């Protein structure tokens, strides 16, 4: 899957509409193979992003977990450490 799409479930505070939209945009870009669609495809592209964002928001609202919410700063630091290890080894 696209590395730019991040987990949005079980964070405090909850994912914003902008985060859900950004993940949806990345998903549509990945499956369409286009970062910026042509004028002929722009309407279908934009509609797909909006629909996936809408469905994703419903999914996030409906998911249930017993795990404690994650902290965004802590998770970001873990990601930076993983990245540093991965690229230091190369």
């Amino acid at each position: 899957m696209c590395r730019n799409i991040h987990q949005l479930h079980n964070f405090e505070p909850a994912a914003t509409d902008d985060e859900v939209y950004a993940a949806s945009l990345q998903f549509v870009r990945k499956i369409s193979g286009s970062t910026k669609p042509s004028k002929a495809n722009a309407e279908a592209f934009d509609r797909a992003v909006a629909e996936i964002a809408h469905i994703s928001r419903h999914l996030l609202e409906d998911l249930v977990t017993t795990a404690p919410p994650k902290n965004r700063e802590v998770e970001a630091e873990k990601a930076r450490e993983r990245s540093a290890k991965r690229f230091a080894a190369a």
Side-chain angles (χ1 to χ4, degrees), residues 70-89:
K70 296 176 185 171
N71 180 293
R72 292 176 189 280
E73 289 78 30
V74 170
E75 295 301 316
E77 182 58 34
K78 288 179 187 177
R80 283 190 290 274
E81 289 173 6
R82 285 191 304 271
S83 179
K85 283 182 183 177
R86 182 172 64 237
F87 292 113

Side-chain angles (χ1 to χ4, degrees), residues 18 33 47 90:
D18 287 342
R47 185 174 56 249

Side-chain angles (χ1 to χ4, degrees), residues 9-30:
H9 177 246
N10 198 29
F11 280 97
E12 191 60 45
T16 65
D17 288 338
D18 287 342
E19 290 173 313
V20 173
Y21 178 84
S24 301
L25 178 60
Q26 287 297 324
F27 179 74
V28 172
R29 285 176 173 169
K30 183 70 169 186

Side-chain angles (χ1 to χ4, degrees), residues 17 20 50-63:
D17 288 338
V20 173
E51 290 176 4
I52 290 169
H54 179 78
I55 291 167
S56 297
R57 174 54 70 194
H58 283 291
L59 172 64
L60 291 171
E61 291 169 355
D62 293 345
L63 289 174

